[in-house]
Amino acid sequence: MSEAVTCEVLDGVAILTMDNPPVNALGHAVREGLWTHLGAIAQDDTVRAVILRAEGRTFPAGADVREFGSPRAAPILSQVCDRLEACSKPVIAEIHGTALGGGLELALACHFRLADKSAKMGLPEVNLGVLPGGGGTQRLPRLVGAEVALDMMLSGKPVHAQQAEATGLIDKAVNKNLRQATMATARNLIAHNAGPRPTRAQTVGLGDPAGFATAVAAARTRHATTQRVNIARIINCVEAASLLPFEVGLAMERQAFDELETGPQAVALRHAFFAERRAAKIPEREGATLREVKTIGVVGAGTMGSGIAISCLDAGFPVTLLERNSEGLEAGLAKIRTNYENSVAKGRIDAQTQSDRMARLTGSTDMQDLGAVDLVIEAVFEDETVKRDVFAQLDQVMRSGAILATNTSYLDIDALAATISRPEDVVGYHFFSPAHIMKLLEVVVGSKTDPNVVATGFALAKKLRKVPVRAGVADGFIGNRILAAYRLAADFMVEDGATPAQIDHAMRVYGFPLGPYQVLDMAGLDISWARRKRLAAVRNPKDRYVAIGDKICEKGWFGQKTGRGYYVYGGENGPIENPDVLAIIDAERLEKGIAPRSFSDDEIQMRCVAAMANEGARLLDEAVALRPSDIDVVELYGYGYPRHRGGPMMAADQLGLLTVENALKSYQPEERQFWSPSPLFAELIKNGRHFSDLNEQ
């Protein structure tokens, strides 16, 4: 008998208790224990009611992630749910913590559901490329109707107990003494000789067929252009709940789950899930002594500095925001104040929370005020001279052992660290804009950075609710190195015959929310122009150089902020392709003697993905990135890479490394050095391996 599930009979009530720390995941031991105990309960005439509960901090929070993508030993979850629902004695689910995925499906298979008022319930399978596979697509709509069921399944977001009670998902949200309440309910059912109440027999959610059909049609319209194949299957299965017999709907759900689980999107989404967790495993955390960080200083009150300050305030830190003059400081403080006022207006936080966070914020124009803080994050203009000056001042005032982090996007952290007396305290924190919203944080490790400083950065990232990824020192680190390759591949195609709008369209079709030229316009063309000018001195004159972006900037067109860039802004119909940019492109082609040719969406996508994967392989060769999945995490969280593709390294694995290498070689006659495949491709192909095989090394 599995120890993951125990059974105690008290006054005719069988109490089934799941105990599988830390989150009571529904692994084989739990499923087998439930199956066996339910079989015994069915034969025990002394049992007249059943309570299903869990020890620890939560009701089952989903499947055992170690079983993802592999055959599951019987009984599988759907079988357990069916046996639970078929129990001849009334079964009460006692829900606390977070009942997610299979955990909620277990509760749906019970006959009655009580939940602690703080509990949350959800079906997040959509985020893993599958759908609820334990009967959830059939049972949930019978309780709450199509609109609520589809919202839960397609968003993957959990609902609070009070909302669950209001929709009929649970019978009652209990304010206190949940265990006492469920036992009282069980005894009451026994006293009234009540029998089971199978969810499959419920019809309240099916009571308005026209409304049900309307909700299904609305969901189809809303997701008509989605590339996520599981979304259409979820909608179909929910529709089946109202049109087909229960058993037929279950069979349809099972078939859809099995087909989706082994599909490329589910594989990529599982990869993304594990990659985020793997990124936290860095060598510096072994035996580390974390430095104390209780107070934070931020130098620079511009857009990035203000966003970083908000992120730190949100995490509960006292923050000193420093600017060189009072005008700049007041502008930064106003940004922060306005952000919190908007959050209150939208109901995201209450007025007291706003007041508490603003009370932790101190503005200053005196560098001496940073002398006592534990960590300073420098977020001034991306100019090495400016940053060196700030570093020199901070070196004079910061206390011994305090951490100095730079938010540079491209600059050499080792060169900056070498200018002060404490290079071991210097680390890169590359936030992404807007810093209080974007989840990615590249923690850039210099050659002399103390390992304890690196480990402290990862611990801080968790408090800031960021996803940290370790990066070595290199121009652009991981993310911007990949971005530069992506943009260069796009620029070559534009010069050879594509238009920026065609490139943008193809990459949106691939799954990016915006194409590369839309992103350039949004970020400001002057930012990448400044980098190109900075690198001009070290550029190999033999390398192909596309000057289109430079010539646009020379016109003073920097994108959205100036009303013109690759697109023209401000019109009634939204951005339109800039005809003057098309003229610049034509002139460049004429000057270089390039005869324009056409590009298909497939070729555009392949060239861009191959360029990104190849640059990623080079980053691995150079030890800038620890593992391929770290590169994918950076691209997913920092650059909008479509999650159902898994990231450029996973995409290369799924395309086939030989296919990608051959594509790179076929492009080489055009730009030999840029397209030259990393030797890592040949090494992996020779040994029958993939990038994913390197992730656990």
Side-chain angles (χ1 to χ4, degrees):
M1 182 69 66
S2 168
E3 295 182 358
V5 181
T6 58
C7 182
E8 175 190 11
V9 179
L10 182 64
D11 297 335
V13 180
I15 302 172
L16 283 177
T17 303
M18 297 170 283
D19 191 4
N20 184 31
V23 294
N24 286 307
L26 293 167
H28 179 254
V30 176
R31 300 194 305 272
E32 183 181 49
L34 289 172
W35 180 267
T36 303
H37 283 302
L38 286 167
I41 286 170
Q43 303 301 317
D44 189 344
D45 292 338
T46 68
V47 174
R48 300 183 61 195
V50 183
I51 293 175
L52 181 64
R53 65 168 54 144
E55 287 292 352
R57 57 190 174 93
T58 184
F59 201 74
D64 187 334
V65 294
R66 293 170 295 185
E67 295 183 339
F68 284 1
S70 58
R72 292 168 179 78
I76 62 174
L77 178 63
S78 59
Q79 293 171 325
V80 175
C81 288
D82 289 347
R83 174 167 279 198
L84 193 61
E85 189 177 51
C87 184
S88 59
K89 295 89 184 278
V91 184
I92 307 161
E94 180 183 290
I95 304 168
H96 77 290
T98 51
L100 301 176
L104 179 56
E105 290 186 285
L106 271 184
L108 289 170
C110 293
H111 307 137
F112 302 89
R113 285 160 292 281
L114 274 67
D116 184 85
K117 66 176 181 179
S118 64
K120 294 181 181 179
M121 290 145 268
L123 294 170
E125 288 86 351
V126 66
N127 297 319
L128 291 175
V130 291
L131 46 66
T137 66
Q138 302 306 297
R139 292 188 176 96
L140 184 60
R142 283 170 161 77
L143 295 174
V144 302
E147 185 175 358
V148 173
L150 285 168
D151 182 61
M152 288 182 66
M153 293 184 213
L154 297 179
S155 73
K157 295 178 180 177
V159 297
H160 293 278
Q162 290 90 338
Q163 183 180 352
E165 181 181 12
T167 59
L169 171 55
I170 63 173
D171 295 287
K172 186 172 180 60
V174 179
N175 287 325
K176 58 182 179 179
N177 297 327
L178 176 62
R179 291 200 167 183
Q180 182 178 324
T182 50
M183 181 56 79
T185 300
R187 287 171 174 158
N188 186 52
L189 290 170
I190 292 173
H192 288 83
N193 201 30
R197 187 185 64 175
T199 305
R200 68 173 65 198
Q202 301 303 302
T203 59
V204 63
L206 310 178
D208 177 11
F212 199 104
T214 298
V216 168
R220 282 207 175 97
T221 300
R222 199 161 50 245
H223 297 280
T225 60
T226 185
Q227 298 179 358
R228 299 279 293 277
V229 295
N230 61 329
I231 286 179
R233 302 295 287 273
I234 289 171
I235 296 171
N236 290 345
C237 285
V238 169
E239 182 180 43
S242 70
L243 300 178
L244 302 175
F246 182 80
E247 294 295 343
V248 178
L250 278 186
M252 181 177 173
E253 175 192 275
R254 186 75 246 161
Q255 180 181 359
F257 182 91
D258 290 342
E259 291 174 359
L260 290 168
E261 188 182 26
T262 56
Q265 291 192 2
V267 171
L269 287 162
R270 285 197 298 272
H271 165 75
F273 176 86
F274 287 115
E276 178 183 336
R277 285 146 184 80
R278 193 182 297 118
K281 300 176 182 178
I282 58 168
E284 289 86 355
R285 298 190 82 168
E286 286 292 325
T289 300
L290 300 182
R291 296 199 184 179
E292 185 176 69
V293 177
K294 291 185 176 179
T295 56
I296 295 175
V298 177
V299 181
T303 300
M304 184 59 78
S306 298
I308 293 171
I310 291 169
S311 188
C312 296
L313 291 167
D314 290 351
F317 290 99
V319 174
T320 299
L321 181 65
L322 186 134
E323 250 301 349
R324 58 185 175 180
N325 56 54
S326 57
E327 293 81 10
L329 177 62
E330 183 49 46
L333 294 173
K335 286 190 186 81
I336 297 172
R337 194 178 303 114
T338 299
N339 172 80
Y340 284 135
E341 288 171 353
N342 290 339
S343 293
V344 171
K346 294 176 181 178
R348 293 172 181 162
I349 61 173
D350 57 29
Q352 185 59 53
T353 300
Q354 175 192 7
S355 177
D356 292 344
R357 291 176 182 177
M358 289 301 297
R360 291 197 299 271
L361 177 63
T362 303
S364 176
T365 57
D366 186 352
M367 194 71 77
Q368 294 292 331
D369 288 340
L370 299 180
V373 302
D374 302 315
L375 164 70
V376 174
I377 303 172
E378 167 274 306
V380 300
F381 186 69
E382 187 78 350
D383 179 274
E384 188 167 356
T385 301
V386 174
K387 289 186 183 287
R388 281 174 179 259
D389 180 60
V390 170
F391 264 54
Q393 295 179 62
L394 289 170
D395 194 25
Q396 297 299 313
V397 303
M398 288 175 63
R399 69 166 180 80
S400 175
I403 297 172
L404 173 49
T406 174
N407 181 55
T408 180
S409 301
Y410 289 101
L411 300 180
D412 187 335
I413 289 173
D414 283 335
L416 289 171
T419 65
I420 64 173
S421 64
R422 52 175 95 184
E424 68 279 3
D425 296 334
V426 176
V427 67
Y429 287 174
H430 182 204
F431 288 83
F432 288 71
S433 185
H436 58 294
I437 295 173
M438 295 290 284
K439 291 186 66 175
L440 180 66
L441 178 65
E442 280 186 300
V443 179
V444 187
V445 182
S447 60
K448 294 187 177 181
T449 304
D450 186 331
N452 294 328
V453 169
V454 181
T456 302
F458 271 71
L460 176 66
K462 184 175 181 180
K463 293 180 181 178
L464 299 181
R465 297 183 179 179
K466 303 295 183 187
V467 176
V469 176
R470 186 193 189 280
V473 175
D475 187 78
F477 317 125
I478 296 173
N480 282 335
R481 269 277 295 271
I482 300 285
L483 179 64
Y486 174 32
R487 287 176 175 171
L488 193 51
D491 282 348
F492 289 155
M493 286 186 281
V494 165
E495 202 169 59
D496 286 339
T499 68
Q502 286 174 328
I503 302 284
D504 286 343
H505 169 77
M507 298 317 292
R508 290 196 306 273
V509 168
Y510 182 78
F512 280 89
L514 297 172
Y517 297 104
Q518 291 174 295
V519 173
L520 277 167
D521 270 5
M522 184 172 65
L525 303 185
D526 51 326
I527 296 175
S528 52
W529 188 34
R531 177 175 181 266
R532 291 194 297 274
K533 289 188 287 186
R534 177 170 57 81
L535 295 176
V538 296
R539 186 181 302 124
N540 187 336
K542 295 182 180 180
D543 290 344
R544 179 178 177 182
Y545 185 74
V546 179
I548 293 167
D550 297 348
K551 298 199 172 183
I552 295 171
C553 288
E554 287 166 5
K555 298 283 189 181
W557 304 336
F558 298 146
Q560 290 184 14
K561 60 188 174 185
T562 60
R564 294 174 75 86
Y566 286 95
Y567 297 86
V568 178
Y569 300 86
E572 293 182 2
N573 298 320
I576 60 170
E577 200 167 15
N578 189 343
D580 296 322
V581 166
L582 296 180
I584 289 172
I585 293 169
D586 286 338
E588 284 294 293
R589 291 172 184 159
L590 186 63
E591 183 177 329
K592 291 186 175 182
I594 296 173
R597 70 173 182 87
S598 62
F599 288 84
S600 67
D601 282 359
D602 286 345
E603 183 178 1
I604 290 170
Q605 293 164 4
M606 186 64 182
R607 282 177 175 256
C608 288
V609 172
M612 286 187 272
N614 196 33
E615 197 64 26
R618 291 169 179 164
L619 288 167
L620 293 168
D621 288 333
E622 299 166 21
V624 175
L626 281 181
R627 52 182 80 88
S629 61
D630 285 0
I631 296 170
D632 286 338
V633 171
V634 170
E635 295 306 305
L636 291 169
Y637 282 102
Y639 298 88
Y641 203 99
R643 194 173 179 86
H644 67 276
R645 304 274 188 181
M649 312 313 284
M650 169 53 66
D653 274 352
Q654 292 196 328
L655 286 166
L657 298 191
L658 182 59
T659 297
V660 176
E661 185 189 48
N662 286 338
L664 290 165
K665 288 177 178 177
S666 74
Y667 308 148
Q668 269 191 277
E670 302 165 25
E671 301 84 27
R672 177 159 295 277
Q673 186 60 38
F674 177 76
W675 291 115
S676 177
S678 160
L680 186 55
F681 276 94
E683 179 186 336
L684 291 172
I685 292 166
K686 178 180 67 176
N687 293 294
R689 304 179 75 203
H690 302 85
F691 285 125
S692 59
D693 294 315
L694 305 179
N695 288 329
E696 300 298 342
Q697 292 184 0

